[in-house]
Amino acid sequence: MTAEIIDGKAFAARLRATIATDVAALKAKTGHTPGLAVVLVGENPASQVYVRNKAAQTQEVGMNSYEHKLPEDTSQETLLALVQQLNQDPTVDGILVQLPLPAHIDSSLVLLTIDPDKDVDGFHATNVGRLWTGERALVPCTPTGCLLMLKDYLGKLDGKEAVVIGRSNIVGKPMAALLLAESCTVTIAHSKTHDLAAVTRRADIVVAAVGRPEMVRGDWIKPGATVIDVGINRITLDTGKARLVGDVNYAECAEVAGAITPVPGGVGPMTIACLLLNTVTAFQMRRSI
Ligand code: NDP
């Protein structure tokens, strides 16, 4: 079997087009434009690229983008004051504080200071609770993107065996919550899981969010399963060139799976699109639309 490739780049482009239409309709209906504030502290080059991309895509779908760039030595007090100010600002629907923050700042405290109704990253404990109790929540962007691709490809997910490898608060745990809400039978695997290959082989749906290059091998995959590769790992080839690979051995797994996301071009592009989606959701939730 050769797997169908789930094209996250094309899916994300379609999703952004839908979001642009929704934003235009919301503007016409309410007279207000959804706004996303992104806060960057320091000079981390990867973070600077992410923030630039987020701002560009926010504007492309017709929303307002507010960038706050603060120096590396910004005090925690100053950052918390900015977050409070954004919480109060009626033109701001979504607040994203780009991680990682410098070591002298308590990231958990900053994330918990964001108004849960503007928490478009979905990391606040209130949104985590809402997700697990089935209330309307802002859900972390990466697992939201994975779920949208799975539903688009598979349709209804109920009754499917899903194995999520990784239990981080950002990907693994919210992914499991989303799959459970779709009535999958969910297993969360992690570094202490015994015989991970046998556990993974049970799955109709495998989501790998580990951070270990090409760890999931072809003989771990049930024939026809759908494989979602969240991992982004930079490896150096024998030639000295760098390459991005996922947590899944793509060549091996694509021989067995029914469908698979590539790296790059799979989950990655969906993450920013889902941030825009969350900003629209936050706009609607705050106005009870
Ligand atoms: P974390 O490091 O927070 O979590 C990794 C998880 O993998 C942990 O739960 C850990 O288990 C588990 N793990 C580690 N080693 C093994 C192993 N040998 N067998 C089974 N489980 C293992 O990572 P994240 O969740 O933040 O990210 C995971 C990957 O996804 C990374 O490559 C990251 O770059 C990528 N990523 C991609 C995004 C995108 O937009 N495409 C967004 C976010 C992340 P334990 O808890 O026991 O330690």
Side-chain angles (χ1 to χ4, degrees), residues 105-236:
I105 295 177
D106 178 352
S107 302
S108 305
L109 180 61
V110 173
L111 297 182
L112 285 175
T113 303
I114 297 173
D115 178 345
D117 293 340
K118 295 188 176 187
D119 166 39
V120 282
D121 257 339
F123 296 158
H124 194 290
T126 297
N127 278 313
V128 177
R130 286 174 179 162
L131 170 62
W132 283 97
T133 53
E135 281 181 51
R136 195 176 184 193
L138 293 169
V139 180
C141 303
T142 300
T144 298
C146 296
L147 185 74
L148 290 177
M149 289 193 289
L150 281 167
K151 286 172 76 169
D152 183 65
Y153 180 72
L154 290 171
K156 277 171 86 81
L157 305 182
D158 55 286
K160 299 223 180 280
E161 285 274 351
V163 172
V164 179
I165 315 176
R167 56 174 163 179
S168 71
N169 291 330
I170 294 171
V171 190
K173 283 184 208 160
M175 186 75 245
L178 287 171
L179 291 166
L180 188 61
E182 296 295 326
S183 298
C184 292
T185 303
V186 183
T187 303
I188 308 177
H190 45 76
S191 66
K192 303 290 186 286
T193 298
H194 291 295
D195 200 351
L196 182 57
V199 171
T200 307
R201 219 172 282 129
R202 292 202 305 256
D204 303 307
I205 295 169
V206 179
V207 181
V210 187
R212 292 187 178 256
E214 303 182 317
M215 185 186 81
V216 176
R217 308 301 302 261
D219 63 356
W220 296 20
I221 302 298
K222 180 161 98 174
T226 305
V227 178
I228 304 290
D229 190 354
V230 181
I232 302 176
N233 308 288
R234 188 173 294 277
I235 60 165
T236 307

Side-chain angles (χ1 to χ4, degrees), residues 199-280:
V199 171
T200 307
R201 219 172 282 129
R202 292 202 305 256
D204 303 307
I205 295 169
V206 179
V207 181
V210 187
R212 292 187 178 256
E214 303 182 317
M215 185 186 81
V216 176
R217 308 301 302 261
D219 63 356
W220 296 20
I221 302 298
K222 180 161 98 174
T226 305
V227 178
I228 304 290
D229 190 354
V230 181
I232 302 176
N233 308 288
R234 188 173 294 277
I235 60 165
T236 307
L237 302 173
D238 294 340
T239 56
K241 278 193 170 174
R243 191 162 78 94
L244 284 188
V245 296
D247 291 338
V248 170
N249 184 310
Y250 183 84
E252 288 181 12
C253 294
E255 289 297 311
V256 190
I260 188 166
T261 58
V263 176
V267 174
M270 287 297 286
T271 296
I272 298 186
C274 289
L275 174 68
L276 307 177
L277 194 61
N278 274 355
T279 306
V280 171

